[in-house]
Amino acid sequence: MSSRFGSSNLHQRDARSSLFENYSGDKSRTHSASPARAGGYGLGATGASGAGGVNAYRPATPNSRGQYSDAVLSELESQNDNELEGMSAKVKMLKDITVAIGDEIRDSSALADKMNDSFDNTRVRLRGTMNRMLRMAERTGVGWKAWVGFFAAVSLVFWYVWLF
């Protein structure tokens, strides 16, 4: 299996999930080491390896009949509740983000539709203006190229006055 994942250990579970993995039911077994967190059975406040590389461990071993004490189970349950609250907060945050993304997408789509309508209206107006200009040019006997040149010259004069 190590050839499948190379030299990475990212596929391995963290220390909290291996709390009961060495339990075989025999009494001669040594205590399994679980990282302590303020007297608990989970990861310590300094992380998995600790700041100095040394962690204090609290044993979580069953009694002779394979049962765990109520204190151990209560501590594990409270840790589970704390982790569940943390995950619930993260899920709520992700939900809020996705709702905000959805709102932004709807707003952007509405804006794009409005812009599309505006461009379409502008295209229709320009087509009408061009058609009216061509009809006017035909009635006066001056070609449309002359009118385009005239409007270009007027536009250049306005542009020159505006810049300088």
Side-chain angles (χ1 to χ4, degrees):
M1 188 161 209
S2 64
S3 64
R4 178 177 167 197
F5 295 106
S7 62
S8 173
N9 62 354
L10 295 175
H11 64 282
Q12 297 175 352
R13 294 183 178 182
D14 61 19
R16 292 176 288 180
S17 64
S18 63
L19 184 62
F20 302 110
E21 79 177 4
N22 293 329
Y23 178 67
S24 62
D26 61 328
K27 299 175 192 173
S28 62
R29 184 179 66 83
T30 60
H31 294 298
S32 65
S34 298
R37 175 175 51 182
Y41 294 93
L43 282 175
T46 58
S49 62
V54 178
N55 279 335
Y57 292 101
R58 181 173 177 181
T61 57
N63 62 12
S64 62
R65 294 185 311 198
Q67 299 170 338
Y68 291 90
S69 70
D70 289 337
V72 170
L73 294 176
S74 175
E75 180 67 27
L76 291 173
E77 187 67 29
S78 68
Q79 288 177 8
N80 190 22
D81 290 341
N82 290 339
E83 293 294 326
L84 185 63
E85 288 173 7
M87 284 195 294
S88 296
K90 290 177 184 177
V91 167
K92 183 184 181 312
M93 182 175 35
L94 287 173
K95 179 185 175 191
D96 293 342
I97 289 171
T98 55
V99 167
I101 289 172
D103 292 342
E104 185 67 28
I105 289 171
R106 278 188 287 283
D107 293 343
S108 297
S109 295
L111 179 63
D113 288 341
K114 286 180 183 177
M115 287 177 60
N116 190 27
D117 292 342
S118 295
F119 284 127
D120 193 42
N121 289 338
T122 304
R123 183 184 56 84
V124 169
R125 285 183 185 174
L126 283 175
R127 180 185 295 163
T129 303
M130 185 67 177
N131 287 338
R132 282 191 301 263
M133 188 181 78
L134 289 175
R135 274 186 272 142
M136 181 186 69
E138 287 175 5
R139 278 187 249 156
T140 60
V142 179
W144 68 272
K145 291 180 184 175
W147 283 108
V148 170
F150 172 74
F151 285 124
V154 170
S155 298
L156 284 174
V157 169
F158 281 125
W159 180 71
Y160 180 76
V161 170
W162 180 60
L163 286 179
F164 304 106

